[in-house]
Amino acid sequence: MSSTLKFFFIGATGYVGSSVLERFLDHPEANNFEFTALVRDPRKAEKLKQFSVNAIVGSFDDAKLVEDLTAAADIVVDMGGSDNLGLAKSTLRGFQRKFQETGKPSIFIHTSGTIIIADDAAGLHSSDVVWNDADPDQIEQLPPTAPHIDVELEIIRADKEGYVRAYFVTPGTIYGIASGKFVDAGLAHKHSIQVPALIKTSLDRGQAGMIGKGLNIWPNVHIDEAADFYIDLYNAIKANPDSVGHGRDGFYFLLNGEHSLYDVGKEIGRALVALGKVTTEVPSTYTQEEVNKYFGGSNFLGTNSRGLANHSKSIGWKPKKTTQDLMASIKPEVEEILKHL
């Protein structure tokens, strides 16, 4: 690699992406970094340039553009394409070109999610199955139908061929209202997906909701600690690349505590009662009609997804926020959403 490290960010203005990009911009070695980001909105691209980010207007479907930007980079950080096989193939073609030119594998930090280990419980039961991110043999038991897995298998094959070193950042439910200069500038999303979706549907139906009985369990991680991990991973790779697992041994779960869908629903109900928006804090089951209306017919929120972040913690990640913090974050999230409805 040259003395200047060239980063290419995909999904830089998203909820996670903006938080991660801001941390790299604040890295102690940032004077030696060069940042490029792919952005759909020309107005956001212009604003990003004010933060010393070379923003290129384009989409995930611009295959040649993605390939070219990847080939020009030393490190690619993807925080928006977990389900986009076409995007993955475009980046991999770029990595191949780079390797042919330099003989050195590039670094690919790809964001996935613990939905890859989810079951089909439909909220009717919990699960005793716990997946260990430090056990690649267990991870390889995931069925080919698992969400995201087609993308990850393609990337793992590339890692095995040796022209890229791939690391899979795999968060559970990310919670908390994002903050920072990109949020303040109107460049980034400040809300996650799962909890805000439950809040908005609860407001619409007049009662907190859950899939089935809400007995399913998911892990949780605060947005700030999730974003911190990307820096911990980069620092570990820089310090001793051969000591940091990649490819089939490159999954890193981000989680620090678990919650049931029922408990989250009840906390949302409690907040809505306190704000005078509903009359009961007890969540009720979404009807099939509501599942179709709110979630496109998917019971995703009723799945179990249980894991251990042993691999992530082994490289120095030290999350502190727990499920108690998740619950405490719900009322402020409700209040913030109500401001904009």
Side-chain angles (χ1 to χ4, degrees):
M1 295 182 185
S2 63
S3 58
T4 298
L5 271 181
K6 297 181 179 180
F7 285 80
F8 171 37
F9 281 84
I10 300 170
T13 60
Y15 173 69
V16 177
S18 62
S19 297
V20 173
L21 176 57
E22 183 164 340
R23 279 160 173 75
F24 274 101
L25 285 167
D26 291 339
H27 192 280
E29 300 171 4
N31 286 339
N32 297 320
F33 297 164
E34 182 180 301
F35 299 100
T36 298
L38 182 66
V39 183
R40 290 188 183 92
D41 187 340
R43 292 168 298 181
K44 287 188 176 182
E46 286 303 311
K47 283 188 177 182
L48 269 177
K49 291 174 183 177
Q50 300 171 15
F51 296 96
S52 301
V53 177
N54 179 29
I56 305 298
V57 178
S59 77
F60 295 170
D61 297 327
D62 293 331
K64 184 62 166 60
L65 177 61
V66 171
E67 179 184 330
D68 290 345
L69 292 172
T70 300
D74 300 306
I75 300 175
V76 176
V77 186
D78 175 14
M79 297 159 293
S82 61
D83 260 336
N84 195 318
L85 184 58
L87 174 65
K89 289 181 176 179
S90 298
T91 58
L92 294 177
R93 286 193 296 271
F95 288 130
Q96 283 182 307
R97 280 174 47 190
K98 179 81 170 186
F99 184 75
Q100 289 165 0
E101 294 167 5
T102 67
K104 296 179 181 179
S106 301
I107 293 170
F108 189 20
I109 299 175
H110 174 78
T111 306
S112 180
T114 63
I115 190 176
I116 65 171
I117 58 173
D119 62 14
D120 58 356
L124 299 178
H125 57 81
S126 61
S127 173
D128 294 328
V129 178
V130 180
W131 297 79
N132 182 359
D133 65 351
D135 185 351
D137 292 334
Q138 185 192 30
I139 300 294
E140 283 191 339
Q141 295 174 23
L142 288 168
T145 54
H148 306 338
I149 204 68
D150 57 339
V151 173
E152 283 151 15
L153 289 174
E154 194 77 18
I155 297 170
I156 288 170
R157 277 193 290 270
D159 182 282
K160 189 174 182 180
E161 290 177 20
Y163 62 85
V164 66
R165 285 197 169 192
Y167 307 84
F168 301 94
V169 183
T170 312
T173 295
I174 308 179
Y175 67 90
I177 299 171
S179 60
K181 56 191 173 188
F182 292 129
V183 171
D184 294 341
L187 276 166
H189 302 300
K190 62 197 304 185
H191 297 284
S192 184
I193 297 173
Q194 292 95 329
V195 172
L198 289 166
I199 292 169
K200 291 174 184 177
T201 59
S202 299
L203 286 165
D204 188 66
R205 70 199 293 266
Q207 186 175 359
M210 58 189 175
I211 302 292
K213 298 178 181 178
L215 298 177
N216 57 295
I217 298 172
W218 259 72
N220 38 259
V221 60
H222 190 273
I223 177 59
D224 290 339
E225 295 186 332
D228 288 344
F229 175 78
Y230 289 77
I231 299 298
D232 292 334
L233 177 61
Y234 165 76
N235 288 340
I237 295 168
K238 181 177 181 294
N240 189 354
D242 292 334
S243 71
V244 184
H246 56 92
R248 73 179 291 270
D249 189 30
F251 285 84
Y252 297 87
F253 292 171
L254 303 188
L255 51 91
N256 199 42
E258 295 181 316
H259 60 272
S260 72
L261 184 61
Y262 178 87
D263 287 342
V264 168
K266 189 168 183 180
E267 193 63 34
I268 290 171
R270 185 176 290 118
L272 292 174
V273 168
L275 294 168
K277 297 298 180 181
V278 301
T279 58
T280 177
E281 63 185 39
V282 178
S284 64
T285 300
Y286 292 110
T287 64
Q288 186 58 52
E289 182 180 3
E290 288 176 323
V291 171
N292 295 340
K293 174 183 177 182
Y294 297 131
F295 310 116
S298 171
N299 282 325
F300 154 66
L301 288 174
T303 59
N304 288 292
S305 174
R306 306 190 66 193
L308 299 172
N310 292 335
H311 208 187
S312 299
K313 293 175 181 178
S314 73
I315 65 166
W317 185 55
K318 298 176 181 178
K320 300 291 191 297
K321 295 184 182 294
T322 66
T323 302
Q324 185 176 356
D325 296 288
L326 163 64
M327 296 303 174
S329 77
I330 287 176
K331 188 175 180 183
E333 190 102 47
V334 171
E335 292 170 337
E336 183 68 22
I337 288 172
L338 282 171
K339 288 180 185 178
H340 301 285
L341 289 180

